[in-house]
Amino acid sequence: MTSHDAPGTALVTGASSGIGWEYATRLAGRGWKVVLVARRAERLESLARELREAGATGVETLVADLANPADLARVAERTSASDVDLLVNNAGINDYGPFTEVDADLLDRVLAVNVVALTALTRAAVPGMPARGRGAVINVASLLAFAGDPEAVTRLATAELDLRRGSGGRVAARYREAGAEAREAS
């Protein structure tokens, strides 16, 4: 992909709060058109209004539950449009507790949002990017993804803080223990 001076359109999932809200706000502030995707219509409209009041143009909202196949199909269709240069896969859900005690329906939703939707939207976005000579996908994840228990979250969060102080080897070792690869932050 080549870089470009003029921002295009960014589609941000999970835009109604937290990291998704922040991505949308910063991208719009840098001149990107944004497609905001989330389940909560009121919060989505609140963000859209805030962005427009701050001078953003090209703000679009898509109310969708990415665990719902029909909603996912609508978002994937929008994601595949020729104007989408950036996909921010931020939507995600989880629950806490021993695996054997988590509700089976919730596990289905976790897989639908965290795996199926992320994969489907990436698959929708990427094919047009090489032809346009531009585009990127950002997948947002939590350290919780590497944790099997609450104590592991604490250890990984501490390790990340240590990484910021320059001891990246320890972080990489912790990630390897969790069965994943890690790259040192620059």
Side-chain angles (χ1 to χ4, degrees), residues 50-67:
E50 180 181 303
L51 295 177
R52 289 180 186 119
E53 288 171 0
T57 58
V59 178
E60 180 182 338
T61 60
L62 274 175
V63 177
D65 179 348
L66 296 178

Side-chain angles (χ1 to χ4, degrees), residues 8-172:
T9 299
L11 187 139
V12 182
T13 67
S16 66
S17 66
I19 294 170
W21 184 290
E22 192 64 29
Y23 260 107
T25 301
R26 289 182 183 225
L27 288 165
R30 292 184 175 144
W32 286 80
K33 294 176 184 172
V34 290
V35 179
L36 311 170
V37 180
R39 292 176 294 130
R40 297 175 287 195
E42 318 79 44
R43 294 184 88 170
L44 211 51
E45 289 305 323
S46 175
L47 172 58
R49 186 172 40 259
E50 180 181 303
L51 295 177
R52 289 180 186 119
E53 288 171 0
T57 58
V59 178
E60 180 182 338
T61 60
L62 274 175
V63 177
D65 179 348
L66 296 178
N68 177 306
D71 285 358
L72 176 57
R74 279 189 308 109
V75 176
E77 182 177 341
R78 180 62 182 95
T79 304
S80 68
S82 63
D83 66 325
V84 176
D85 294 319
L86 177 63
L87 168 62
V88 180
N89 279 315
N90 173 68
I93 61 172
N94 206 346
D95 194 13
Y96 307 98
F99 178 75
T100 56
E101 296 174 19
V102 175
D103 181 68
D105 289 336
L106 177 61
L107 288 177
D108 288 343
R109 288 186 55 77
V110 167
L111 290 172
V113 174
N114 297 1
V115 178
V116 175
L118 177 140
T119 304
L121 296 180
T122 301
R123 181 66 181 99
V126 169
M129 292 177 177
R132 292 190 302 272
R134 58 197 267 170
V137 175
I138 298 172
N139 293 325
V140 177
S142 164
L143 286 175
L144 187 58
F146 299 106
D149 61 57
E151 290 176 7
V153 173
T154 303
R155 289 192 305 272
L156 286 168
T158 302
E160 183 181 16
L161 291 174
D162 288 344
L163 173 64
R164 293 178 188 169
R165 287 188 223 118
S167 60
R170 197 159 94 194
V171 173

